[in-house]
Amino acid sequence: MRLVGVIIKSLKEQVRSLWVLLLTLSMGPLFIFIYFLITESSKPIYKVLLLNQDAGAMVDGKMINHGSFLISFVHHPSLDSIKIPFTLEVIQDRNKGVALLQNNKADALIILQPSFTESIAMFGLKNAPDSSVVEFVGDLTKTGYLISAIWANEIIHEFALHLTNTKRVVNVKETPLGTSGKISEFDMLVPGILILSLIMLMFTASIAFVTEVEHKTILRLKLSLVTTAEFLGGVSFVQLLVGIASLLVTLLTAVLLGFQYAGSLLVMILIAALTSLSIIAFSLIIAAATKSANEVLVVGNFPMFLFMFFTGAAFPMKSEPLFTIAGYSINLQGLMTPTHAISALNKTLVMNMGLKAILPEIIAILFLTAVYFFIGATLFRHRHLKLVTG
């Protein structure tokens, strides 16, 4: 019953700290909206220039120019499983195309030689001319050129196979993992931002713990015989509800902006609950080092930014593993639970993997949560709960 009393009291205190609660609940949706605008405004568009010097050839008494047909073929439904935004512009002068490349107004220039149609039309004949050369011009150090050249080369090769009625020696079949063949850049960022919404608990949880000390209400705990476990458990339960609510609001915002997840919502909530507990446990360490809400807002910024920017929550990050345990790699960021939570969400939301696949991440989160809680509870009890019977 004392635990229920602590939970009710903590709920009331949380409602009184309305601005802190609103900050926590709104930060995730705000980041979702910001990243949505960034990805929408920075979607890559690769501009490919085509100079058709094809002289054409007489085929069955008709003059045919396959170079012109190639332009129409480019706009055929994509040959790849992922739709890549390309634009094709036909030009009449090589120097103009080179100038556009040099001024970063285009990514690649394709030049069809005069013998392009002839080499295709006479394919397989004894007196057939050598294969026509298709020239690619561009800055080989730029990603835009590399992507454009690969795409254009595939289209031209497929076009030639179609005209000569030949088949590939090897056909490559592409099988995307989960929904990875359909997701956008925005979709890839969502799992990290969902965890980012939970990291904001670092403020609300730390303030919830330290407010009792700041307002001297910690003395009431002694009179009511509330144990340390009941006090910490009651506050943590309320913060856990805040964390799950924050994740669901953030997820709803992402869905409204077009995000589609493939995994189970229950598994997602499980990951959110475990991650929330780990952040709450870490918040005990911050609360133990502070005496007021103002100190929390100052001291808590450093670990919060570490958790935000060095775990992949705000920006994708990857580093070399320090060691492996049963095949599961642990890097420096792995000492912070959001790293494992993001990995688990990627597996469930993007790869559509089940609970069994994320067991290593869950074990890592539970282990680190226990370490955080042991350190935080020990320090908090030593500094702030000496008067409370345990």
Side-chain angles (χ1 to χ4, degrees):
M1 292 301 295
R2 290 194 299 260
L3 176 61
V4 175
V6 174
I7 292 174
I8 294 174
K9 180 182 182 302
S10 184
L11 278 171
K12 292 179 179 178
E13 292 293 339
Q14 189 64 76
V15 172
R16 291 191 184 101
S17 304
L18 183 61
W19 286 110
V20 177
L21 178 60
L22 290 177
L23 175 66
T24 302
L25 294 177
S26 63
M27 190 59 68
L30 176 62
F31 268 88
I32 284 286
F33 188 68
I34 290 173
Y35 275 87
F36 174 77
L37 293 178
I38 291 174
T39 54
E40 285 296 307
S41 61
S42 62
K43 282 184 176 179
I45 298 178
Y46 304 103
K47 186 175 182 180
V48 178
L49 307 175
L50 177 66
L51 175 57
N52 183 17
Q53 296 180 337
D54 184 14
M58 293 296 296
V59 179
D60 297 331
K62 294 182 180 181
M63 189 66 181
I64 294 178
N65 189 301
H66 286 319
S68 299
F69 294 157
L70 176 62
I71 297 172
S72 301
F73 189 80
V74 168
H75 300 291
H76 194 268
S78 178
L79 300 175
D80 205 342
S81 60
I82 300 176
K83 185 177 180 181
I84 306 176
F86 286 96
T87 60
L88 181 69
E89 179 181 336
V90 179
I91 61 173
Q92 305 300 326
D93 181 68
R94 179 190 180 106
N95 292 331
K96 176 185 176 182
V98 172
L100 290 173
L101 292 173
Q102 291 173 337
N103 291 301
N104 295 319
K105 294 183 179 180
D107 296 290
L109 169 61
I110 303 172
I111 302 175
L112 302 181
Q113 301 300 322
S115 60
F116 182 71
T117 296
E118 184 181 8
S119 63
I120 294 176
M122 299 185 68
F123 175 79
L125 300 179
K126 291 183 178 180
N127 298 325
D130 294 335
S131 299
S132 178
V133 175
V134 177
E135 184 180 0
F136 283 53
V137 182
D139 186 346
L140 273 64
T141 63
K142 292 185 177 179
T143 304
Y145 168 77
L146 297 176
I147 295 176
S148 300
I150 292 173
W151 170 81
N153 181 68
E154 175 66 18
I155 291 293
I156 294 172
H157 183 62
E158 187 68 24
F159 179 68
L161 290 175
H162 176 73
L163 290 177
T164 57
N165 197 26
T166 54
K167 297 182 179 180
R168 295 174 182 264
V169 177
V170 177
N171 285 309
V172 177
K173 179 183 178 183
E174 187 177 60
T175 304
L177 290 176
T179 60
S180 60
K182 302 177 183 178
I183 63 174
S184 63
E185 183 182 1
F186 171 70
D187 294 332
M188 291 187 290
L189 293 170
V190 169
I193 303 176
L194 290 176
I195 299 303
L196 176 63
S197 69
L198 300 180
I199 293 175
M200 293 304 300
L201 279 176
M202 201 171 289
F203 279 135
T204 59
S206 299
I207 291 174
F209 287 123
V210 84
T211 295
E212 304 293 344
V213 178
E214 183 180 12
H215 294 166
K216 307 297 183 182
T217 52
I218 198 84
L219 296 176
R220 298 178 186 175
L221 298 174
K222 179 182 178 181
L223 300 176
S224 61
L225 301 179
V226 172
T227 65
T228 302
E230 288 171 335
F231 168 66
L232 298 181
V235 176
S236 298
F237 179 78
V238 173
Q239 295 305 310
L240 175 62
L241 295 180
V242 173
I244 294 176
S246 178
L247 180 129
L248 292 178
V249 171
T250 305
L251 177 62
L252 177 60
T253 305
V255 170
L256 292 175
L257 292 175
F259 174 68
Q260 295 181 348
Y261 62 91
S264 168
L265 182 61
L266 292 178
V267 174
M268 193 188 315
I269 292 176
L270 173 63
I271 297 171
L274 295 177
T275 308
S276 297
L277 288 175
S278 71
I279 299 298
I280 294 166
F282 191 87
S283 299
L284 270 174
I285 301 175
I286 299 175
T290 56
K291 293 182 179 180
S292 66
N294 287 335
E295 288 186 12
V296 169
L297 294 175
V298 175
V299 176
N301 277 308
F302 179 70
M304 187 194 71
F305 279 113
L306 279 179
F307 275 57
M308 283 178 60
F309 295 106
F310 291 93
T311 61
F315 303 103
M317 289 192 67
K318 186 177 181 180
S319 63
E320 293 297 322
L322 298 175
F323 55 89
T324 59
I325 300 177
Y328 185 68
S329 299
I330 303 294
N331 52 25
L332 187 60
Q333 292 98 317
L335 300 179
M336 296 177 281
T337 52
T339 303
H340 308 286
I342 294 169
S343 174
L345 281 184
N346 275 315
K347 286 183 177 180
T348 57
L349 297 185
V350 178
M351 301 301 176
N352 197 17
M353 301 171 74
L355 186 61
K356 184 178 180 180
I358 62 172
L359 283 179
E361 284 83 358
I362 290 177
I363 293 172
I365 294 173
L366 289 173
F367 174 77
L368 289 173
T369 300
V371 173
Y372 294 164
F373 191 81
F374 175 78
I375 296 173
T378 301
L379 294 176
F380 190 86
R381 181 175 182 178
H382 177 75
R383 186 172 187 189
H384 298 311
L385 297 180
K386 290 180 181 180
L387 298 176
V388 183
T389 57

